[in-house]
Amino acid sequence: MQLATILRDRAAGVKLDPEERRALKVLADDPIFSVALRYAELLDEGEAMVARHSGRPATHHVKALARQRIDAVRRLESHYRQRLTHARGTSSVSDRLSVLVVREIAGREYDRALASVLGQRGLRSEAISLPTVRLWSWLNNAAGARTPGDEMPPDVRRLLRMHDTAFVQAVMADAKSSHPEAAFEHPAVVERWASCTSEVESRLRSAREQCDRTLRGKVPKGQRAKEIGRLRGAAGAYAMASARNLMADFALKALRLQVLQQYGQERFQQFRVALLKETTETVYRTEPALAAEVARASAEHRRTCQRWSPSNPCLTCAPGVAAVVRERLSARAGTSAGKAQTATSTHSEAEAGDVTGSTCSGGPNFFACSDLRGQLSANLGRMVGVTELRHDSGTGRFGHGWVTEHGEWGTGGGDAANVHDAWLQAVCRTALELGGGVSRVSVLCRDQRAASVVNHVVKVKFVAEALGFSVTEQTRKLLTRLIESRGKVSASANSCQERHRGAEAAGRLADLAIRARQPGGTEAIKAAGDKVAEEFRRLSETTSVQSPEESGRALWAPGGSNAGELHWRKRVASGSPGRWLDRTSRRAEGHSRGQATASSRR
């Protein structure tokens, strides 16, 4: 890169000509400036290593170039965050509470109606949702300027047709080339490119370090020049790979911003609102009682909700409003003797909407549905966890909470392609958190499709490309971890209409988890978790047999994959007398990163 050469000259104190100085000034706020600084920084670092092994004096400009690169990246990140905040501020629908309530109560009917409404226009279900994956495809279709595959540049088509192994090899070859391939920067390829550049950078850094270690050892005189040449080549390849990784990150962020801007356009939002309204009216035509109760409950809620405002139209309040509507619909149904309960009174907490059933033989004071618990095979090593979800379909963000009847609890959150993907991530994370130290884990959720995917993947030990609905790459990684985990994992969709203690507690945690990024969010989660732990310890039917010395001891894992995680150890009388259950508690800061976080308390 010519720009990298100019930057290295400037760091070395070389006097630049007017054209070079003008180029640096014009490009100072361009992503290529940061990329060139990274390339120059690592080239200088690599040449210093070569010089050290060659017995020549080395340059010392790495720190200066690194400081310049850090400052340049910070400026770009700040500018990106400002543009992102502005785009998000214009990408929300003014009022969607009634739509969300209908989805809560009559999820299956709503999904069918939406599929029909979209199908009439030749659109897929994800066409009006903010995507987290396949950004170029969504943007291309949403913009109405489809670019057929045969009209794309040949190099772009070639990259898109490669299988994963060949694509990684192509990225590796690109890093080793002195002339990077521009096709990787095409919007259709950027997402795939950015997903593997970090891995390529890591591999090439390891190759450079290996060459350096070899030269630090005993090398025959006849081989030393050859090994130094290998180090020079490895250092150059690593420098290019790191620079290209930074370029891929900038390109992906630019694509995400472009998607968000398209999503927030008034024309697109009007189109989206019209489709959602048409879908809701389609459901209302078959369920007039639902229409009346949703309108009534939504109006009442807006008058009393302290969080409601035009910019925050109660997007996380839908479950509570839906509970009121269900209760009123149930009361209506109870006054009409002989009438079967309609699908609109189905309890489908937190955006599940695809499970139906009747009230179990137990009551709300039970941890979970007694009928469902009875279907689980008796096993002393089984741990049952209940997970609940809150999902914002506008942004794709979700928060989930889980509890066990012994008082273990956890929360987490992230981004999902759709509500089923959000449930799938929640179930996987709950199962992984509960999996240590027990032979069987059962997770109860509110989404049949997510539960079916988990059970199928665990059974066949393979994550297929098509899972029945769109999922993010993070979801695929979680499913892979589930396959590799110890013990047997199963998931069940709770179709019971009764609101049991486990679901109630997990729902409270999920309400807080989706708002974890707000000021005081982490502290609120900790406080709620402590209350949940205390509540279920009192209610637990089992008796603790812990010794006084062991009770409540917090043990820090010494290292490995669990380094920096807090484990709480607890004896459970329902298991084998000597069996310990280990529960992992990640630090609460994980909420700010959107990662799954568990916080057990004794």
Side-chain angles (χ1 to χ4, degrees):
M1 287 185 182
Q2 185 178 0
L3 182 57
T5 303
I6 297 174
L7 290 166
R8 293 183 70 191
D9 288 343
R10 186 180 70 170
V14 176
K15 186 176 181 180
L16 304 181
D17 60 44
E19 185 177 346
E20 290 174 333
R21 291 196 299 271
R22 186 165 51 253
L24 293 182
K25 184 177 181 179
V26 169
L27 296 174
D29 293 324
D30 191 284
I32 195 63
F33 191 79
S34 298
V35 173
L37 278 168
R38 180 60 171 167
Y39 186 53
E41 170 193 347
L42 293 181
L43 278 180
D44 204 71
E45 183 178 88
E47 289 190 6
M49 296 171 69
V50 170
R52 185 171 59 249
H53 292 297
S54 303
R56 294 184 286 103
T59 58
H60 300 284
H61 308 309
V62 174
K63 290 184 179 179
L65 290 167
R67 285 194 297 270
Q68 295 173 40
R69 187 253 308 167
I70 291 171
D71 289 341
V73 170
R74 283 177 177 169
R75 288 197 303 270
L76 285 173
E77 292 285 356
S78 177
H79 183 58
Y80 173 73
R81 285 193 297 270
Q82 291 174 6
R83 296 182 66 188
L84 204 61
T85 300
H86 175 73
R88 283 174 174 163
T90 60
S91 64
S92 59
V93 182
S94 59
D95 190 352
R96 296 181 289 124
L97 178 60
S98 60
V99 173
L100 292 176
V101 171
V102 173
R103 288 184 62 182
E104 287 271 353
I105 298 174
R108 179 177 293 180
E109 290 76 9
Y110 185 91
D111 287 345
R112 289 173 180 170
L114 179 59
S116 175
V117 169
L118 293 173
Q120 293 171 12
R121 294 164 175 80
L123 298 174
R124 300 177 64 178
S125 58
E126 60 269 22
I128 60 172
S129 299
L130 185 64
T132 56
V133 294
R134 298 181 178 87
L135 303 177
W136 167 250
S137 175
W138 183 92
L139 187 63
N140 208 25
N141 292 330
R146 295 178 176 83
T147 304
D150 56 359
E151 294 182 12
M152 286 185 177
D155 288 342
V156 174
R157 293 204 310 271
R158 176 177 57 84
L159 292 175
L160 291 174
R161 290 170 181 171
M162 286 182 178
H163 58 76
D164 291 343
T165 303
F167 187 82
V168 172
Q169 291 172 349
V171 176
M172 184 81 74
D174 177 70
K176 294 179 179 179
S177 171
S178 58
H179 300 286
E181 188 171 351
F184 283 106
E185 300 173 35
H186 191 281
V189 185
V190 159
E191 200 171 354
R192 191 181 187 190
W193 182 40
S195 69
C196 62
T197 50
S198 294
E199 178 187 351
V200 170
E201 179 184 359
S202 178
R203 288 185 188 180
L204 292 178
R205 177 172 183 169
S206 297
R208 188 193 71 165
E209 300 305 318
Q210 179 60 46
C211 291
D212 184 50
R213 284 194 298 270
T214 299
L215 285 166
R216 288 175 183 273
K218 295 182 179 180
V219 179
K221 289 184 179 180
Q223 293 291 325
R224 191 165 189 82
K226 185 177 181 179
E227 292 297 334
I228 289 176
R230 287 179 178 174
L231 173 60
R232 184 179 289 107
Y238 168 56
M240 179 61 75
S242 184
R244 296 290 276 169
N245 184 23
L246 191 58
M247 173 62 82
D249 181 61
F250 288 144
L252 182 58
K253 285 178 177 176
L255 184 59
R256 291 191 186 281
L257 183 61
Q258 192 177 355
V259 167
L260 193 57
Q261 289 170 337
Q262 171 65 32
Y263 181 80
Q265 286 184 1
E266 183 178 359
R267 182 179 177 183
F268 182 88
Q269 285 296 308
Q270 289 175 348
F271 176 65
R272 182 175 181 273
V273 168
L275 291 179
L276 296 178
K277 181 179 179 181
E278 182 179 344
T279 301
T280 305
E281 290 174 350
T282 300
V283 176
Y284 283 166
R285 282 196 291 271
T286 59
E287 300 291 346
L290 174 65
E293 293 298 346
V294 168
R296 175 186 168 195
S298 297
E300 292 173 351
H301 178 80
R302 280 193 293 267
R303 286 195 297 268
T304 58
C305 181
Q306 296 179 351
R307 293 198 302 268
W308 185 89
S309 69
S311 60
N312 179 33
C314 302
L315 299 185
T316 61
C317 299
V321 179
V324 173
V325 174
R326 288 191 193 98
E327 183 178 352
R328 291 173 178 175
L329 289 172
S330 297
R332 282 193 178 202
T335 60
S336 303
K339 289 187 178 180
Q341 190 173 15
T342 64
T344 55
S345 62
T346 300
H347 186 84
S348 55
E349 177 65 25
E351 308 238 12
D354 61 353
V355 290
T356 58
S358 57
T359 303
C360 68
S361 57
N365 290 331
F366 279 60
F367 172 73
C369 174
S370 56
D371 295 344
L372 184 60
R373 287 293 300 269
Q375 297 172 15
L376 301 176
S377 59
N379 187 289
L380 294 179
R382 182 182 294 279
M383 175 63 68
V384 177
V386 173
T387 188
E388 288 291 338
L389 183 89
R390 298 295 181 262
H391 176 250
D392 185 344
S393 59
T395 64
R397 291 286 304 170
F398 73 91
H400 75 94
W402 60 263
V403 296
T404 72
E405 57 191 319
H406 304 293
E408 290 86 1
W409 63 272
T411 65
D415 296 304
N418 50 64
V419 66
H420 301 296
D421 180 37
W423 270 110
L424 186 53
Q425 289 191 46
V427 172
C428 289
R429 289 171 172 174
T430 301
L432 289 167
E433 292 289 350
L434 292 175
V438 293
S439 60
R440 289 174 177 263
V441 172
S442 291
V443 180
L444 308 185
C445 67
R446 291 276 179 187
D447 191 88
Q448 183 63 58
R449 297 175 73 178
S452 298
V453 169
V454 168
N455 292 333
H456 176 73
V457 167
V458 170
K459 179 180 178 181
V460 301
K461 297 189 179 302
F462 176 74
V463 182
E465 179 65 27
L467 296 174
F469 49 88
S470 299
V471 298
T472 62
E473 188 61 31
Q474 177 64 21
T475 305
R476 294 186 179 278
K477 291 179 180 178
L478 288 170
L479 288 169
T480 301
R481 286 179 58 195
L482 212 57
I483 294 173
E484 299 169 350
S485 63
R486 294 180 299 174
K488 186 175 181 180
V489 173
S490 64
S492 301
N494 186 5
S495 60
C496 182
Q497 297 178 30
E498 190 65 73
R499 180 84 168 169
H500 297 283
R501 285 187 181 275
E504 180 69 31
R508 296 199 302 270
L509 294 174
D511 284 333
L512 295 172
I514 198 171
R515 301 196 299 271
R517 292 183 174 182
Q518 298 178 4
T522 299
E523 291 73 15
I525 291 173
K526 288 180 180 179
D530 287 339
K531 291 181 180 179
V532 167
E534 183 64 27
E535 173 187 351
F536 282 95
R537 278 201 301 273
R538 290 198 309 266
L539 295 171
S540 178
E541 296 178 356
T542 59
T543 303
S544 173
V545 293
Q546 292 172 284
S547 66
E549 308 90 74
E550 294 287 358
S551 179
R553 277 183 56 198
L555 303 179
W556 284 102
S561 61
N562 292 327
E565 296 178 351
L566 186 63
H567 286 254
W568 291 101
R569 306 183 69 197
K570 171 181 180 180
R571 285 191 189 272
V572 181
S574 59
S576 302
R579 183 171 64 84
W580 286 97
L581 299 183
D582 284 354
R583 290 292 166 263
T584 302
S585 172
R586 299 186 190 275
R587 291 174 179 156
E589 286 82 0
H591 292 284
S592 64
R593 299 191 302 271
Q595 302 298 320
T597 307
S599 298
S600 301
R601 293 286 183 271
R602 276 293 294 160

